Amino acid sequence: RDGIIKTLAWHYDRAFPYGGRQNKKEHSNEKSDYIASQGIESCLPYDKECLRAAPVFPCASECSHEAQCTKSYFDEVIAWTQSLTSECETVLYTVDLDESLSIVPSAHLKLKTTSKSFLKGNCNLAFVLEQSRLVQSLRNSYRMSSFIGSGQNKLLRNGAWILVPLNVPSNTSEDLDSDVVKLLPKLSPGLFFGSNTKRAIYVDSNILLDSIPNLLREAATQPYNEEMEGATAMLIGRGTPKDYFSDEDEDNMGTNQRALDSSSTLVQNSAYRMVRIAVADKLFGDGFMELLDSRWMVHTLQSDDARLFRCDVLGEVVQWEVDSDRSALEFVLGLHDMWSRVIVKASG
């Protein structure tokens, strides 16, 4: 009996990977809830043998199991950011956790007079440190305004950005888990915004988009096939290829890059290259060149397929304990592309 239950729990976890919050609620009943409780949800967060290589995500991630996740400093602000963006169909957001930050670099820039680089309303959010110079300066000025009878209940703003201060404990600065958590809104924004939000546009704090409407139109474009339904899970920049091991600069560039990468990143990239060789190099990228520009990306929300793609990427980052998303993005994109081509070819 126990063996049958464990087998059913294993299949249940495969059917509803990464928490599967929405689908689980639709199919929830007493029996399925019991089966689910015997699978990954029954494991302790750091019991690797019980988890069987399944990653444990931060609670603020759309990929986490509600009964099993790790707390982070984003937990305190999610309810507020959801309320703040409740009327936003699209959200533009950035993350800059530099304590010395005195201004969001893109806040007061303008590419040209016709540029549409920000959204209307409370739909432009910047996640910053509570301890940053920018937040402290604005709080001091608001206290002074309040003292003279104005400035009550004001949002902290820097240009078009609404600041979301994060209370990050100082003892997490050197923690590997902290590096992963910093990437959380960028790679897994599904729980951060209102239920009406359909698109979430991430940009680095020093990136300014020329036209958000054009970008949204491009994100909505997809190949048409009357026999198949689909949607764009993510729109991401195609970076200028940069070969770290090119012949002309092999000694300097290769050595510098290897010195900059952590040991986890080097092992991660080596494993990915072995997989590429094993599948006859059918994957996107080659592990040596930057092919994606992840300084900006457009996420499609309210789509479980898009959520699963994001969770695959975040899962790689969590498992390898790396501080960069570049290798994981290229690898997972390659896997999804390869399987899509295999399915299309098999189906004729």
Side-chain angles (χ1 to χ4, degrees), residues 168-210:
V168 180
S170 57
N171 60 354
T172 63
S173 58
E174 302 298 326
D175 191 358
L176 279 173
D177 288 342
S178 179
D179 290 330
V180 173
V181 172
K182 288 177 183 178
L183 292 170
L184 182 55
K186 177 181 180 180
L187 298 178
S188 181
L191 298 183
F192 282 84
F193 310 120
S195 58
N196 294 322
T197 304
K198 297 179 180 178
R199 305 272 184 188
I201 305 174
Y202 168 83
V203 291
D204 278 1
S205 62
N206 60 349
I207 297 295
L208 192 65
L209 300 173
D210 179 37

Side-chain angles (χ1 to χ4, degrees), residues 146-278:
S146 179
F147 179 75
I148 62 176
S150 63
Q152 296 285 343
N153 301 320
K154 282 189 176 180
L155 293 170
L156 296 180
R157 295 181 181 271
N158 186 215
W161 293 110
I162 294 176
L163 304 185
V164 180
L166 299 169
N167 189 13
V168 180
S170 57
N171 60 354
T172 63
S173 58
E174 302 298 326
D175 191 358
L176 279 173
D177 288 342
S178 179
D179 290 330
V180 173
V181 172
K182 288 177 183 178
L183 292 170
L184 182 55
K186 177 181 180 180
L187 298 178
S188 181
L191 298 183
F192 282 84
F193 310 120
S195 58
N196 294 322
T197 304
K198 297 179 180 178
R199 305 272 184 188
I201 305 174
Y202 168 83
V203 291
D204 278 1
S205 62
N206 60 349
I207 297 295
L208 192 65
L209 300 173
D210 179 37
S211 176
I212 289 178
N214 287 346
L215 198 61
L216 292 174
R217 278 194 291 271
E218 189 172 349
T221 303
Q222 57 186 3
Y224 175 74
N225 187 329
E226 57 185 15
E227 297 181 359
M228 303 176 69
E229 292 185 5
T232 302
M234 177 189 293
L235 185 66
I236 189 170
R238 184 72 181 253
T240 301
K242 182 179 180 181
D243 190 348
Y244 292 121
F245 303 93
S246 60
D247 292 340
E248 64 178 78
D249 238 347
E250 184 172 358
D251 293 334
N252 293 330
M253 291 295 288
T255 302
N256 289 342
Q257 178 61 21
R258 281 188 282 264
L260 288 172
D261 285 339
S262 66
S263 58
S264 297
T265 302
L266 293 174
V267 174
Q268 177 194 27
N269 289 337
S270 296
Y272 288 168
R273 281 195 288 273
M274 285 190 284
V275 173
R276 287 186 174 90
I277 294 170

